[in-house]
Amino acid sequence: AKLWREYNVAHMTRTYPAGTRVDASNNNPIVAWAMVCQLVALNFQTSDAPLILNDGMFKQCGGCGYVQKPKSVMSGMSPDKKSIRIQVLSAQCLPKPNGVKTGETIDPYIQIDLHDVRVSANGGKEEYHNSSFTTSCVDNNGFCPVWKDAKTELEVSNPDVAMLLFKIVDEDWDLDDMIASCAIPVSQLRKGYRSVPLYNHNGTRSGAFQSATLLLKIEY
């Protein structure tokens, strides 16, 4: 990892999914970003978690396609770890799956995924790390579901690189449907009560997703 960062300080690196991914799935971009890779290409025809993370990374600069790397990443300095406490309070105006207007009332729950890079205990190798938290399900309420005791504390090893992925999911008897999502770099999180805008699988807030939000309380 150290040598790859040193190389990328003076050179350009492009990474992309292997050609063997015939289903057009994506590799997770977090590790490549942590190694200061300047061009991290993804399959845009597949709206999976890596593509949502990519959208979240570049939303922080207004979607211009360029994000400046943190100084700690460029220098290879060991980042200060952070502990983040997240309390899920409520959601507002959640649409039905795929934004349809008819059908049964949804039963939403929230899944929070932390995508991080950690140094392994044996050998000091930097590797991708994922941890997840899931709230309880609120039955028959997509308009203003409330969670009373949905709290989690996440240990972030590399706050300059780590990202949080919020997913709103409709519980069903056979297969749960993802309704909306939002990815946010940990470095962009602010303390206090925060309203998180939610996006459809195309990364937009059009139509039924225009007013969909998630209300959180964030503490460091």
Side-chain angles (χ1 to χ4, degrees), residues 92-96 98-101 179-180 198-213:
Q92 295 76 40
C93 302
L94 299 179
K96 301 181 190 300
N98 300 314
V100 299
K101 295 182 179 181
I179 299 171
L198 300 173
Y199 300 84
N200 62 18
H201 67 281
N202 291 321
T204 65
R205 283 173 57 77
S206 58
F209 293 82
Q210 211 165 25
S211 301
T213 56

Side-chain angles (χ1 to χ4, degrees), residues 73-212:
V73 176
M74 290 291 288
S75 63
M77 293 166 35
S78 297
D80 294 328
K81 296 181 180 181
K82 280 186 178 180
S83 179
I84 302 176
R85 185 180 293 110
I86 299 177
Q87 182 177 0
V88 180
L89 300 172
S90 65
Q92 295 76 40
C93 302
L94 299 179
K96 301 181 190 300
N98 300 314
V100 299
K101 295 182 179 181
T102 59
E104 63 181 11
T105 306
I106 63 171
D107 307 313
Y109 65 88
I110 312 298
Q111 181 177 326
I112 304 174
D113 296 328
L114 171 65
H115 297 265
D116 198 3
V117 174
R118 293 185 176 180
V119 177
S120 61
N122 46 351
K125 180 182 177 182
E126 290 187 46
E127 56 191 14
Y128 168 72
H129 174 79
N130 173 252
S131 55
S132 184
F133 167 76
T134 303
T135 70
S136 60
C137 175
V138 177
D139 294 330
N140 297 319
N141 191 343
F143 183 66
C144 55
V146 175
W147 290 269
K148 294 183 179 180
D149 298 308
K151 297 180 182 179
T152 183
E153 193 164 306
L154 302 171
E155 299 295 329
V156 184
S157 296
N158 195 332
D160 287 338
V161 173
M163 296 192 68
L164 286 173
L165 175 56
F166 299 92
K167 294 189 286 189
I168 289 74
V169 187
D170 177 25
E171 186 177 71
D172 214 337
W173 64 273
D174 53 353
L175 182 65
D176 294 352
D177 297 310
M178 191 165 85
I179 299 171
S181 63
C182 181
I184 303 174
V186 169
S187 60
Q188 301 296 306
L189 285 178
R190 291 182 293 168
K191 292 191 295 183
Y193 293 93
R194 299 295 167 189
S195 180
V196 177
L198 300 173
Y199 300 84
N200 62 18
H201 67 281
N202 291 321
T204 65
R205 283 173 57 77
S206 58
F209 293 82
Q210 211 165 25
S211 301

